[in-house]
Amino acid sequence: MSVSPLVCVKRVVDATSEVVLTEDAQGVDGRYAGFTTSAHEECAVELAVRIAADGGAATVMTLGDDDAVEQLRAALAVGCAAATHVVADPQAFGPADVAREIAAVVRDHEAAGTPHELVLLGNDAADTGDFQVGIRLAYELGWPVVNGVNTVTVADGEVTATGSGPDGHETFRLPLPAVVTVLEGGVEPRYPSVPGRMKAKKAPIEERRPTADPVGPSRVRLVLPPPSPSTVQVLGEGPASAPAVVDLFEQLGVLAR
Amino acid sequence: MIVVLVEVTPAGEVVETSREAMTFARDLAAAGGGVPIDAVVVGHPDDALVGTLASYGARRVHALTGPAYESFSGAAWAAGLMAVRERAGAVVVTAAGTARGNEVLAHVAARSGLPMAANVVSFSSLSPFTVTRQVVGGAALEEMSLSQRPAIFTLAGHAVEATPAATAGAGELVVETPDVADADLLARVVSTEEPEPDLSGTLKSARVVVGAGRGAGSAEGFDDLLELAELLDASLGVSRVVTSLGWRPHHEQVGQTGSRISPDLYIPCGISGAIQHWAGCSSAKVILAINTDPDAPMVTKATHAVIGDLHEIIPAVNAEIRRRRG
Ligand SMILES: Cc1cc2nc3c(=O)[nH]c(=O)nc-3n(C[C@H](O)[C@H](O)[C@H](O)COP(=O)(O)OP(=O)(O)OC[C@H]3O[C@@H](n4cnc5c(N)ncnc54)[C@H](O)[C@@H]3O)c2cc1C
């Protein structure tokens, strides 16, 4: 049986360097940092493409502003066959709002004759870290959900998913249709090929509007933690600092033998 | 009343982060005029476990037992937790911000149609109930309002220090077998294997870790770093760039999505110190950063630093170690 998963991605600020807040303190300003797809979702995309390789087609979706098309095209370039864009300001949407919009896409695609038996999401978004969208989606759809897994395979109408739990490596088995949230670490996301990138540039993207006004997140405001003062002791520059480094090792007692 | 979901190790002990959650619940209870705290555990606790929870201020310990709770299902745990909370009329439901804690409380929030705050570090006001939580991997904080009841949140690891209460709670054990719908058991653990003896185990417990990031340059660029690790009897820990480029295996990754390490000495070489990496190494006692960029976050946050090219510095350090050893 072939499965055509839906995989959900989010355009997030690439917070690898300094984080700057927007003026209204309601979001992170990405103008300097740039944007990316969260690491967990890159793995979810990879899993969706692998699952669809068995005769299905993976659809990628996002709820985001116009620029989020970049994240959709990145997923199309690595093998997703179709893309859906719910055009909206993601900052105005709380986890329950996003879950409702994903559920609406699932229902509409089913009504259009292209059902998704499986929805893959990241375990938590790199920016808001809410840990809820996948679970809220499962309740919207009335489907079972597993969380924070690294590998997902589908066979005979069943999902097998594995991840690391508090007591060891856990295996979950659940019937389709199902929701799965993915943690980085089980698969290596592939790099887009040149033809993949070319194809993604031209691929059509289904554009939609949200089905309802958002309730919004329960955010009051964002704040930055106070920077901790630097107390670094510079031992030197270049290879000439080797004796000072080894002195430190001796002082810390890590050189003993 | 406050209900705290408490996690227990296979050896039957309360996990550290759950003791932190009990401690935080007590602060909240005190601010609220001394409301009682009930702990919820899955499985049948022994007297020692009930005693520990009492010493952390638990008035009651509710034990969720029965076939539905024998293997983990987020929905089933949430159903049990909600049954306890409804009967007790709790105004707060909380847990440690672990994978389990966040998952089960997200189920509770979804079932209740209420917001949830993940990874809270403090609360600033009771009315309206306002919490502060970590977002963007800890690089920013969010103030969030939880004005509806019950307020549902998880506590970030090490946001508070676990300390027993000045006066112990009664610690009355209540064994519960709440009903769980079949639908809530569809996604449950079918098997658990002992973790493979992979090398991240040694990484997590290593006294010294040599770190390497994009600055290593290539898979071949690790030779000198591996030699340093050998000379110091250290483990190798790498940044995510290194694993995504396929230079080293994933189990060597340190950070938010890799291992969290707390060695006596961490030597990050050619690692910028992005917040997600820092999340995994900030508990190192001493950090010696080696980087070409004196303004790299890893350098400014380190205890010691050497500025320059790791490919020149590491061979010189290795030679110096060999020279001193004679
Ligand atoms: C959701 C999410 C989860 C993540 N989880 C993790 C995680 O668990 N672990 C993790 O590490 N990252 C994680 N990241 C990625 C993280 O944001 C950074 O991209 C990554 O840590 C950067 O790796 P790096 O420091 O090796 O590379 P870069 O940021 O490219 O830094 C390279 C550094 O090396 C220095 N350098 C270059 N050449 C030399 C040389 N010859 N000698 C000395 N110094 C040199 C440069 O000055 C620079 O400081 C995550 C990101 C996201 C979004």
Side-chain angles (χ1 to χ4, degrees), chain A residues 136 139 170 184 219-220 235, chain B residues 100 107 111 142 257 305:
Chain A
R136 289 186 189 271
Y139 283 93
E170 294 175 337
E184 189 194 26
R219 170 171 295 172
V220 179
L235 299 178
Chain B
R100 287 278 199 261
H107 274 275
R111 294 165 99 101
E142 177 185 36
T257 48

Side-chain angles (χ1 to χ4, degrees), chain A residues 3 5-8 44 51 99 102-103 106 116-123 131-149 151-152 154 158-161 172-182, chain B residues 103 107 186-188:
Chain A
V3 170
L6 178 71
V7 56
C8 307
I51 290 164
I102 299 171
V106 171
H116 308 293
E117 307 82 353
L118 179 66
V119 183
L120 297 153
L121 308 92
N123 184 61
F131 290 89
Q132 298 161 49
V133 173
I135 290 172
R136 289 186 189 271
L137 171 67
Y139 283 93
E140 285 277 344
L141 294 170
W143 294 2
V145 55
V146 285
N147 262 67
V149 291
T151 75
V152 183
V154 175
E158 263 192 351
V159 179
T160 304
F172 294 83
R173 204 163 298 132
L174 58 158
L176 289 172
V179 176
V180 173
T181 80
V182 175
Chain B
E103 176 172 354
H107 274 275
L186 285 176
R188 66 197 303 200

Side-chain angles (χ1 to χ4, degrees), chain A residues 12-17 36-40 124-126 184, chain B residues 212-217 238-242 250 253-259 269-278 280 290-294 296-299 308-313:
Chain A
V12 291
V13 169
D14 186 355
T16 48
S17 51
T36 181
T37 305
S38 144
H40 303 325
D124 54 298
E184 189 194 26
Chain B
R214 195 197 296 274
V238 301
S239 74
R240 203 186 73 197
V241 168
V242 168
H250 183 268
Q253 182 173 317
V254 168
Q256 188 188 328
T257 48
S259 294
C269 307
I271 298 183
S272 60
I275 189 80
Q276 296 87 356
H277 188 84
W278 184 250
I290 298 180
N291 202 302
T292 43
D293 177 4
M298 186 56 92
V299 173
D309 186 341
L310 72 93
H311 296 295
E312 293 171 8
I313 295 164

